[in-house]
Amino acid sequence: MNKKDIDLTKNEKEYILNNLLENICEISNKDYQKRIWIRSEGPYIGDFDEFCMEFFDYADGVIEDYKSYGITVTQYENLLKLHDVFELFSDKHREPEEFIDLPEWQRIMDLAKEVLKVFNYKKSDL
């Protein structure tokens, strides 16, 4: 079934978009990544694989039907760029302690910050 075939309410779309932006906030925050993905400190403990599954689940749906989420073309283009670069990276890298200081990861964190900026998203306390 195509995700477009599922009729989501406005509140459900807002929830999905908010969760996606929260995921992007996590991508932009190296301290959070070290605490959660590497040291497994709480309050929420999750690994990188779980994070990737959640991120791509939310991102794929929003990208596929971005107009119905009320996002602009600029927001869509920035989100798509982050998605594509992150997808290529995460296909090759699975262990955060091995990639967290790579220049390629810094580029992804910078792209995430750009997405947050174009969405005017204020970071939550991670």
Side-chain angles (χ1 to χ4, degrees):
M1 177 186 313
N2 186 324
K3 290 184 183 183
K4 284 185 177 180
D5 295 336
I6 300 171
D7 288 328
L8 297 173
T9 66
K10 183 179 185 227
N11 286 343
E12 289 168 328
K13 288 179 181 178
E14 287 174 4
Y15 175 83
I16 289 168
L17 186 57
N18 189 60
N19 282 342
L20 174 59
L21 292 170
E22 186 70 23
N23 285 157
I24 293 169
C25 197
E26 293 171 17
I27 292 172
S28 75
N29 188 318
K30 187 182 275 192
D31 290 335
Y32 174 87
Q33 297 157 17
K34 287 179 178 178
R35 184 168 44 88
I36 301 299
W37 297 344
I38 296 175
R39 296 191 308 264
S40 298
E41 297 173 359
Y44 170 76
I45 298 174
D47 65 20
F48 184 68
D49 286 335
E50 289 175 38
F51 174 81
C52 288
M53 286 188 295
E54 183 175 298
F55 171 81
F56 288 115
D57 188 44
Y58 289 134
D60 290 346
V62 172
I63 288 168
E64 185 175 303
D65 194 20
Y66 77 94
K67 288 181 182 178
S68 79
Y69 283 83
I71 66 176
T72 68
V73 171
T74 300
Q75 291 169 330
Y76 164 77
E77 289 170 347
N78 278 266
L79 178 58
L80 183 61
K81 184 174 184 177
L82 171 64
H83 174 279
D84 292 349
V85 172
F86 183 47
E87 186 172 44
L88 290 172
F89 183 89
S90 65
D91 285 345
K92 297 176 188 172
H93 302 278
R94 304 308 300 170
E95 300 299 326
E97 58 275 350
E98 294 175 8
F99 69 69
I100 199 159
D101 292 319
L102 293 176
E104 298 93 330
W105 183 247
Q106 182 61 53
R107 178 173 183 249
I108 290 169
M109 291 190 311
D110 291 343
L111 288 172
K113 289 173 187 170
E114 275 301 308
V115 170
L116 296 173
K117 184 177 176 181
V118 299
F119 275 89
N120 197 29
Y121 185 78
K122 303 299 180 205
K123 297 180 184 179
S124 65
D125 294 329
L126 294 176

